[in-house]
Amino acid sequence: MQDVDTRVRTLRRPRLLVAAARIAAGQAARRFDQPEDCCAAPGSTAHLLRLLEDEAEHEARRRARDASYSAPGHVTALGAVIATHALRQAAPSLPDSLALVPPHSVGARVTRPGPA
């Protein structure tokens, strides 16, 4: 099994899809609100794995030429993967147990999750 960062680096997608996703990644990095991932801290391995699973579902529908395939949804999903991977690369030494404050926050810093 590959580690999550290797999986991101070895993704192979059409150039136009990647170009659009890079634009979406800039927007995702600015807002970083993924409500479906409320239980995983942005930038954590769990968060990135969830995003990779979502993107893989879009890719499977694209390859199957499924009528339910949504190009804008795929761009958004791939953009979120790119933005999250960039966030992880910007702070590689942080353990997954730390919750990262979105980078656009004033005085961005690392905070520990509260007791359960």
Side-chain angles (χ1 to χ4, degrees), residues 25-41:
Q27 295 170 352
R30 282 193 291 277
R31 60 183 163 78
F32 228 108
D33 55 353
Q34 298 292 329
E36 67 274 7
D37 295 317
C38 61
C39 59

Side-chain angles (χ1 to χ4, degrees), residues 46-78:
H47 183 242
L48 186 52
L49 283 172
R50 174 64 189 106
L51 293 174
L52 280 168
E53 289 171 9
D54 185 42
E55 192 280 331
E57 291 172 10
H58 284 282
E59 180 64 8
R61 285 194 296 266
R62 182 186 73 82
R63 287 180 180 253
R65 297 177 186 251
D66 191 325
S68 68
Y69 173 70
S70 166
H74 196 172
V75 168
T76 301
L78 188 55

Side-chain angles (χ1 to χ4, degrees), residues 4 11 13 41 52 59 73 85 89-90 92 97 110 112:
V4 68
L11 283 176
R13 300 295 183 260
L52 280 168
E59 180 64 8
H85 186 254
Q89 296 304 306
S97 62
V110 177
R112 292 196 179 273

